[in-house]
Amino acid sequence: MVLAKRWTLKKHFSGSPTNSDFELKTAELPPLKNGEVLLEALFLSVDPYMRIASRKLKEGDLMMGEQVARVMESKNSAFPKGTVVLAYLGWTTHSISDGKGLEKLPTDWPDSLPLSLALGTVGMPGLTAYFGLLDICGVKGGETVMVNAAAGAVGSVVGQIAKLKGCKVVGAAGSDEKIAYLKKVGFDVAFNYKTVKSLEETLKKASPDGYDCYFDNVGGEFSNVVIPQMKTFGRIAICGAISTYNRTGLPPPGPPPETVIYQQLRMEGFIVTRWQGDVRQKALKDLMTWTSEGKIQYREHIIEGFDNMPSAFMGLLKGENLGKSVVKA
């Protein structure tokens, strides 16, 4: 008999999530049928998108999310016992799967890289940075890139890939510790947006000629300040808007249309699942190689214990993490 612990959405969030919005339940899993596998979570991801995606859940539903899991028992020859997989199984310690949607980790995964990186730099956040910067923004050497939430799972990879491509990179984050990290990994300019006297003047000083690419993870008032400083034909990749996720009132005013028009800007929102097949595999290979060679450095914010999933998620939305937030089951 296997008991699965599961975090469910007890009630929809109003403003910032609280502990009372979640409920921990336990369920007994049935015996395996032919073609099925029993999975045990090793690492579980918490991500900003969950704040928005939870609106589609019904109260009582399992919280969504990706995890790295190990096959404990198998009646599926494609996934023998001990196989490590990546899957969207939600906030649960154990799952039964028929194998659909399970993705084996690459056979050439380096021993030097922790498995948890499949949820971070060599996973969805890394892919988001890769495609958002290279495909949506289409950066070229010599250009200037601005990225906010720059010490997070996505932003830190954006900046480092931009440096690999020969760009100047300006990053904003919310603590002096995060700024020190950004400078360590090669950002040309990094500043604490919470302590600067003027965001507008700080951005102008960092790049007096303006910005070719703006990789936006924050949205809201921050973007209203950045967009007027874009160069003509600048490109804006809208990855997230974490500053607005917990709002209860009206959203902040949007960017001035005249700036978008007269600077002939291209703004595009994107979801990383757009890229599949060979291009996705190439991106993962690039990320894995760059990371194992030390060309991309990483930090992980590891929270111990499955029972701490809600607090890990709430901490993420408050910016407590440096790097990717991952819960170790």
Side-chain angles (χ1 to χ4, degrees):
M1 181 180 70
V2 175
L3 294 177
K5 295 168 70 175
R6 296 171 172 171
W7 279 108
T8 61
L9 182 69
K10 186 175 183 179
K11 65 178 188 293
H12 284 285
F13 308 129
S14 176
S16 298
T18 65
N19 282 315
S20 62
D21 296 328
F22 304 93
E23 185 174 9
L24 183 61
K25 296 182 178 180
T26 302
E28 182 179 339
L29 298 183
L32 291 185
K33 300 175 183 176
N34 286 333
E36 292 184 333
V37 295
L38 173 64
L39 297 159
E40 179 180 38
L42 302 177
F43 298 97
L44 301 100
S45 183
V46 288
D47 301 282
Y49 79 84
M50 296 172 178
R51 176 63 181 82
I52 301 299
S54 67
R55 296 173 183 170
K56 297 180 181 179
L57 298 179
K58 299 189 296 290
E59 292 182 350
D61 282 352
L62 179 70
M63 281 293 293
M64 78 294 293
E66 195 174 25
Q67 60 175 249
V68 174
R70 178 176 286 120
V71 176
M72 294 179 64
E73 184 183 345
S74 176
K75 291 189 176 181
N76 185 325
S77 59
F79 297 95
K81 183 178 179 180
T83 303
V84 176
V85 300
L86 193 66
Y88 285 91
L89 299 170
W91 292 15
T92 181
T93 57
H94 297 82
S95 308
I96 290 176
S97 169
D98 61 3
K100 294 177 182 176
L102 301 184
E103 180 181 353
K104 295 179 183 177
L105 261 61
T107 54
D108 55 348
W109 185 276
D111 292 338
S112 59
L113 298 184
L115 296 177
S116 52
L117 282 194
L119 299 172
T121 305
V122 193
M124 183 272 286
L127 290 170
T128 301
Y130 184 102
F131 289 118
L133 185 69
L134 302 181
D135 281 23
I136 303 296
C137 276
V139 294
K140 302 181 289 291
E143 294 190 320
T144 302
V145 175
M146 168 66 212
V147 56
N148 49 24
V154 175
S156 60
V157 181
V158 169
Q160 292 184 78
I161 294 177
K163 290 303 298 179
L164 285 174
K165 298 300 180 181
C167 297
K168 176 182 177 180
V169 182
V170 178
S175 75
D176 292 342
E177 179 192 10
K178 292 177 180 179
I179 297 310
Y181 175 69
L182 295 179
K183 292 178 177 178
K184 177 185 174 186
V185 300
F187 279 62
D188 296 283
V189 181
F191 62 89
N192 184 341
Y193 72 91
K194 293 180 179 178
T195 58
V196 296
K197 292 181 179 179
S198 167
L199 177 58
E200 181 181 5
E201 291 303 317
T202 301
L203 289 168
K204 285 181 178 177
K205 182 180 178 182
S207 183
D209 296 332
Y211 297 89
D212 298 285
C213 171
Y214 171 36
F215 195 107
D216 182 21
N217 294 301
V218 172
E221 293 296 340
F222 196 107
S223 290
N224 291 343
V225 178
V226 177
I227 289 173
Q229 299 193 37
M230 297 297 294
K231 295 181 183 180
T232 303
F233 304 120
R235 293 89 63 200
I236 301 165
I238 304 174
C239 174
I242 196 169
S243 71
T244 69
Y245 289 169
N246 290 327
R247 72 173 187 267
T248 54
L250 294 173
E258 63 273 15
T259 301
V260 177
I261 294 166
Y262 288 107
Q263 289 303 104
Q264 301 179 71
L265 305 180
R266 189 182 79 194
M267 301 175 66
E268 186 173 349
F270 70 100
I271 302 172
V272 70
T273 48
R274 179 192 309 185
W275 293 272
Q276 295 294 335
D278 291 345
V279 292
R280 183 178 183 276
Q281 292 307 312
K282 180 188 182 301
L284 283 171
K285 183 75 173 179
D286 287 346
L287 290 165
M288 188 168 66
T289 300
W290 291 336
T291 306
S292 62
E293 292 177 352
K295 293 177 180 177
I296 289 181
Q297 299 179 53
Y298 64 89
R299 285 282 290 272
E300 294 182 294
H301 186 73
I302 302 288
I303 300 94
E304 295 275 350
F306 179 79
D307 288 0
N308 292 318
M309 289 290 298
S311 61
F313 178 55
M314 292 184 288
L316 168 76
L317 294 176
K318 295 175 185 174
E320 294 176 359
N321 59 302
L322 197 171
K324 178 72 181 79
S325 286
V326 177
V327 173
K328 184 177 181 181

